[in-house]
Amino acid sequence: MDSFDVRPYLVSIQDMDFFEEEAEQAADNLNAMLYAISNETAGSDYWQSENIAQLVVEITDMWLREPGLLESEVDELEDYITHLVHRIEQDDDHNEQLD
């Protein structure tokens, strides 16, 4: 797999203006999730740059205005990503076995 650069996808405080005074914390938390995607998918034969980018965009869209972004600790958000990435891999493996 080629190396995926998550930096172009990172959000800024301005992107998180929905959270008003807590925009910086929201941006930090969402960016931690995006870095977790990059870390969890690195070195995997399953993940290619295109589907990593798709996952990053989907997570960003889903969490951009999600209050849970501030209600959760960074390690909880990273755990969520770890489980999500592994579930996607397992679901795809299961679907291949059914074919």
Side-chain angles (χ1 to χ4, degrees), residues 65-77:
R65 295 178 178 266
E66 172 57 49
L69 193 57
L70 293 176
E71 296 167 0
S72 302
E73 297 294 324
V74 170
D75 61 335
E76 294 172 318
L77 296 170

Side-chain angles (χ1 to χ4, degrees), residues 17-79:
D17 63 352
F18 171 80
F19 292 98
E20 299 172 356
E21 298 85 32
E22 296 174 312
E24 183 175 6
Q25 183 65 44
D28 288 346
N29 287 1
L30 183 53
N31 286 336
M33 293 174 75
L34 301 183
Y35 274 113
I37 291 170
S38 180
N39 292 337
E40 285 299 317
T41 57
S44 170
D45 293 333
Y46 175 82
W47 294 98
Q48 299 301 316
S49 291
E50 297 80 28
N51 55 351
I52 298 170
Q54 179 183 359
L55 180 59
V56 165
V57 169
E58 289 174 7
I59 290 295
T60 300
D61 289 347
M62 187 180 349
W63 285 86
L64 202 55
R65 295 178 178 266
E66 172 57 49
L69 193 57
L70 293 176
E71 296 167 0
S72 302
E73 297 294 324
V74 170
D75 61 335
E76 294 172 318
L77 296 170
E78 292 171 340
D79 285 347

Side-chain angles (χ1 to χ4, degrees), residues 3-15:
S3 180
F4 180 77
D5 186 5
V6 73
R7 291 173 297 177
Y9 298 92
L10 299 177
V11 297
S12 68
I13 295 170
Q14 292 77 21
D15 296 326

